[in-house]
Amino acid sequence: MTRIIIFDVDSTLLAVESLDFAVEQSLSSKPGGKAQAAQLAEITSRGMAGALDFRQSLEQRIAMAPLSQQEIMMISVQLAEMLTPGMFELSRALRDKGHGVFAVSGGFIELLGPALSTLGFMPGDVRCNRFEYDEAGLVSGFDRENPLSRSGGKAVAVRALKTLANASTAVMVGDGMTDYEAFAEGAADAFIGFGGVVRREPVAARAPAFANSVDELAGLLGV
């Protein structure tokens, strides 16, 4: 295996931001939830554009609504139905060509597991954050030892995957600045910005290559 393709998940393989979707679902039944949802979107946008430290973004979003393990399980099933159209076919085509296909996300495996399984990812192909829970089964935080819980963490994960796969080339694909960082810090050999779900201008301005759709992405990946 000489080339691996490493995908971001939220707003790339998935047509939504999984943590935001989960928090919005929890807020929807609460007074003032609509206003808080707008604030949530702003926090995410700033984090993905690199204007807010990623760990701070996680902390602020998780603090907005106390998610329970039961809620997370139910929402994860919903998220499995929210794949970006065309990504199932693209990931399968890449595997058929013999490329290693991996997923690296600042999202949480408890939310993303079913969606990634649907896309054909095995557990060893995936690197994500993990929730921590209190005695009542509510999310109390996240594993802070996981490099993906901070800015620059995707570079650590990508570098490790490249070594694990014995790959000569690693291509990172994603919509956010945390994805671009993996290339800027030298872990990924190439970077393709993806704007098929959300076009983030700071990423588009820096990306050596940029795809506005899955079809464009497939062309850039040689599928």
Side-chain angles (χ1 to χ4, degrees):
M1 185 184 299
T2 60
R3 185 174 83 150
I4 60 173
I5 315 300
I6 302 173
F7 285 93
D8 169 51
V9 181
D10 294 322
S11 295
T12 301
L13 293 175
L14 206 61
V16 296
E17 290 286 327
S18 57
L19 179 58
D20 288 16
F21 179 79
V23 173
E24 284 171 3
Q25 294 295 298
S26 182
L27 288 173
S28 64
S29 61
K30 295 179 172 61
K34 187 173 181 179
Q36 284 184 291
Q39 181 184 357
L40 176 69
E42 172 64 18
I43 291 169
T44 301
S45 180
R46 291 179 63 211
M48 291 301 100
L52 177 66
D53 176 77
F54 184 69
R55 178 166 288 183
Q56 289 181 322
S57 171
L58 283 183
E59 290 170 338
Q60 291 179 23
R61 285 182 285 165
I62 288 173
M64 294 186 77
L67 294 167
S68 69
Q69 288 178 303
Q70 184 176 10
E71 283 179 305
I72 288 169
M73 188 178 301
M74 294 173 60
I75 291 167
S76 73
V77 174
Q78 293 177 267
L79 288 167
E81 302 295 324
M82 298 179 181
L83 307 180
T84 301
M87 282 298 188
F88 176 84
E89 293 79 5
L90 175 58
S91 59
R92 182 173 59 185
L94 287 167
R95 292 188 185 101
D96 287 345
K97 283 182 170 288
H99 299 302
V101 182
F102 298 90
V104 170
S105 176
F108 292 84
I109 190 61
E110 295 92 339
L111 290 169
L112 297 174
L116 290 169
S117 179
T118 299
L119 285 164
F121 290 91
M122 301 298 288
D125 302 332
V126 175
R127 301 292 185 272
C128 293
N129 278 307
R130 290 185 178 275
F131 288 125
E132 292 181 345
Y133 301 89
D134 62 19
E135 293 180 357
L138 298 176
V139 171
S140 59
F142 48 87
D143 177 7
R144 291 173 176 270
E145 297 301 313
N146 188 330
L148 291 169
S149 70
R150 58 174 173 79
S151 295
K154 285 191 177 179
V156 177
V158 168
R159 193 171 285 113
L161 282 174
K162 186 178 177 182
T163 299
L164 179 68
N166 194 27
S168 59
T169 304
V171 181
M172 183 75 208
V173 178
D175 69 294
M177 286 300 294
T178 57
D179 307 307
Y180 172 74
E181 286 172 355
F183 168 70
E185 295 184 19
D189 302 282
F191 173 69
I192 302 173
F194 182 67
V197 177
V198 180
R199 181 183 172 92
R200 304 192 194 278
E201 292 304 329
V203 177
R206 292 170 174 80
F210 195 86
N212 288 296
S213 67
V214 174
D215 285 344
E216 288 184 15
L217 178 58
L220 290 169
L221 290 171
V223 176

